[in-house]
Amino acid sequence: ALGIAYSGNPKGNVLDTLTSVVEEDKSIQVASLGAVAIGLVFAGTCNEEACQIIVQRLMEAEDKDLDEPIARFLVLGLGLLFLGRGEKADAIMEMVKTIEHKIAKFAEITLRSCAYANTGNVLEVQKMLHECAEHLDEAPYQAVAVLGISMICNLESVGQEMALRTMDHLLQYGEVPVRRGVPIAIGMLHVSDPDYAVIDILSKLTHDQDAEVAMSAIFSLGLVG
């Protein structure tokens, strides 16, 4: 609630309050939500103090805490700090690679997706496609790579069309972890833009045999509509 109230309004006293949550709270759930709040308040600012706080919690967390799905919100909060800032996220990306846990890969892809959001950077899109091309049974970061394609291409019409065609290929040839990211990615490309072709794709996906794909498609219909 605090993060939403001060979203995009980076005040030092708010950071002080949220810092204590991320640094000191023993619950990974509370700390993770604190990180998202910091990301919302300081989105795109590359705030060094905020960055260090979240990275430190990531590095010091026990494996059992990082195994919790909500721990990914620590990563999301970190990514939001570099929203649209491109190469300024490079140093942090190298740092998170040193984390000795599978969340390191998830963090790298999330940071890259946020950093190059709305840039239309073709090279970064190719890197995301390379991540999606691997045939893996359980790789949550692949869904993030799909979302990354959507985020990078989201600002201009040609990029949106290219991304939509890419999503169609990923649906046909991608493994389950990849397909799970596709409905949300399509929804992000067409927020409040109920194009008939998009509605048709999402409507079919609401009956997908994978429950996560189906639920994501239902949510995405809400975004589009």
Side-chain angles (χ1 to χ4, degrees), residues 189-205:
L189 286 167
H190 293 273
V191 175
S192 298
D193 176 26
D195 181 86
Y196 176 77
V198 174
I199 294 288
D200 186 51
I201 293 170
L202 292 175
S203 296
K204 291 175 181 176
L205 290 176

Side-chain angles (χ1 to χ4, degrees), residues 59-133:
M59 290 185 161
E60 293 178 353
E62 297 180 9
D63 284 356
K64 66 179 179 64
D65 286 335
L66 294 179
D67 286 338
E68 294 285 335
I70 201 167
R72 297 171 192 171
F73 280 6
L74 280 169
V75 174
L76 177 59
L78 187 61
L80 287 172
L81 294 176
F82 295 92
L83 193 65
R85 300 311 295 271
E87 294 177 357
K88 290 189 176 181
D90 286 354
I92 295 299
M93 275 192 271
E94 292 302 317
M95 193 177 294
V96 297
K97 287 179 184 178
T98 65
I99 299 172
E100 295 181 358
H101 187 275
K102 61 184 179 182
I103 203 170
K105 185 69 173 179
F106 186 94
E108 179 197 346
I109 302 299
T110 301
L111 274 163
R112 192 178 297 281
S113 299
C114 291
Y116 289 93
N118 292 338
T119 64
N121 189 306
V122 177
L123 182 60
E124 293 301 324
V125 171
Q126 289 176 338
K127 290 179 181 178
M128 295 298 180
L129 285 170
H130 179 73
E131 298 292 348
C132 295

Side-chain angles (χ1 to χ4, degrees), residues 4 8 11 16 40 49 54 56 89 105 117 122 150 184 211 216:
I4 293 170
K11 291 189 174 183
D16 293 339
L40 289 172
E49 183 183 353
I54 299 174
Q56 184 175 348
K105 185 69 173 179
V122 177
S150 176
I184 299 293
S216 294

